[in-house]
């Protein structure tokens, strides 16, 4: 892959990169830092990419590693308000319980749910991104779905 092709891939993956970073970091400044570092690292390590077919997965994996690096260096407690994406009043009214339930999932389950439902990755791609087996990804999705269902049913009963 040439640098021009990588640049085009980065531009095409802009939204995905932001969603993945936001899922892990929840702070726009940290997200921007992680994305910027991932892009720099992708350009400098382009020779390490073995197959162009996996370029997008490789780029997202670099981003996830950069997010984890930021999380390790800046461990802190984040309030629920800064942890949920900003949206219009109508959307937050309709889906606030769902966003809250997703935000309360453990980090690994939350990332798996976001990659699967928001970004549209399939189980095999998620397994490659997170260095897991496909069955581990399926188990995470099943547990996260069950937990979300229980939390939403409990809120509905109130």
């Amino acid at each position: 892959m040439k640098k021009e092709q990588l640049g085009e891939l980065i531009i095409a993956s802009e939204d995905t990169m932001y969603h993945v970073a936001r899922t892990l970091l929840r702070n726009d400044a940290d997200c921007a830092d992680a994305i910027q570092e991932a892009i720099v690292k992708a350009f400098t390590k382009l020779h390490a990419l073995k197959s162009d077919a996996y370029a997008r997965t490789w780029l997202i994996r670099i981003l996830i590693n950069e997010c984890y690096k930021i999380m390790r260096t800046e461990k802190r407690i984040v309030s629920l308000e800064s942890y949920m994406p900003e949206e219009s009043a109508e959307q937050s009214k309709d889906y606030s319980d769902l966003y809250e339930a997703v935000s309360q999932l453990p980090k690994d389950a939350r990332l798996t749910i976001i990659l699967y439902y928001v970004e549209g990755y399939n189980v095999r791609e998620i397994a490659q991104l997170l260095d897991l087996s496909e069955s581990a990804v399926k188990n995470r999705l099943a547990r996260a779905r069950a937990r979300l269902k229980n939390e939403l049913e409990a809120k509905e009963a109130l």
Side-chain angles (χ1 to χ4, degrees), residues 12-61:
S13 302
E14 178 177 286
D15 288 339
T16 300
M17 292 176 72
Y18 176 76
H19 286 124
V20 169
R22 183 69 185 209
T23 298
L24 292 171
L25 299 174
R26 294 184 199 43
N27 178 327
D28 282 335
D30 288 342
C31 291
D33 289 344
I35 292 168
Q36 194 171 26
E37 287 298 319
I39 291 170
V40 169
K41 197 167 277 188
F43 275 108
T44 59
K45 301 285 185 180
L46 186 58
H47 65 279
L49 178 61
K50 296 178 183 171
S51 171
D52 290 356
Y54 298 111
R56 188 168 190 240
T57 303
W58 174 75
L59 179 63
I60 298 300
R61 185 69 226 170

Side-chain angles (χ1 to χ4, degrees), residues 18-19 21-28 31 78-89 91-93 95-96 98-104 110 114 118:
Y18 176 76
H19 286 124
R22 183 69 185 209
T23 298
L24 292 171
L25 299 174
R26 294 184 199 43
N27 178 327
D28 282 335
C31 291
V78 179
S79 69
L80 183 61
E81 290 78 32
S82 64
Y83 176 93
M84 293 175 43
E86 292 182 22
E87 40 193 337
S88 70
Q91 284 181 323
S92 65
K93 181 179 176 185
Y95 299 105
S96 62
L98 177 61
Y99 286 127
E100 185 177 339
V102 168
S103 70
Q104 291 177 358
R110 187 174 56 245
I114 296 296
V118 176

Side-chain angles (χ1 to χ4, degrees), residues 65-90:
N65 289 338
E66 288 301 317
C67 290
Y68 285 151
K69 181 178 173 184
I70 289 172
M71 289 167 61
R72 279 192 304 271
T73 58
E74 298 179 10
K75 292 195 180 218
R76 61 187 184 273
I77 297 176
V78 179
S79 69
L80 183 61
E81 290 78 32
S82 64
Y83 176 93
M84 293 175 43
E86 292 182 22
E87 40 193 337
S88 70
E90 183 178 309

Side-chain angles (χ1 to χ4, degrees), residues 121-140:
Y121 284 96
N122 64 38
V123 171
R124 178 177 290 141
E125 292 169 331
I126 295 170
Q128 290 173 344
L129 279 171
L130 302 179
D131 290 329
L132 298 169
S133 66
E134 288 182 33
S135 62
V137 172
K138 289 177 185 177
N139 287 336
R140 279 188 186 180

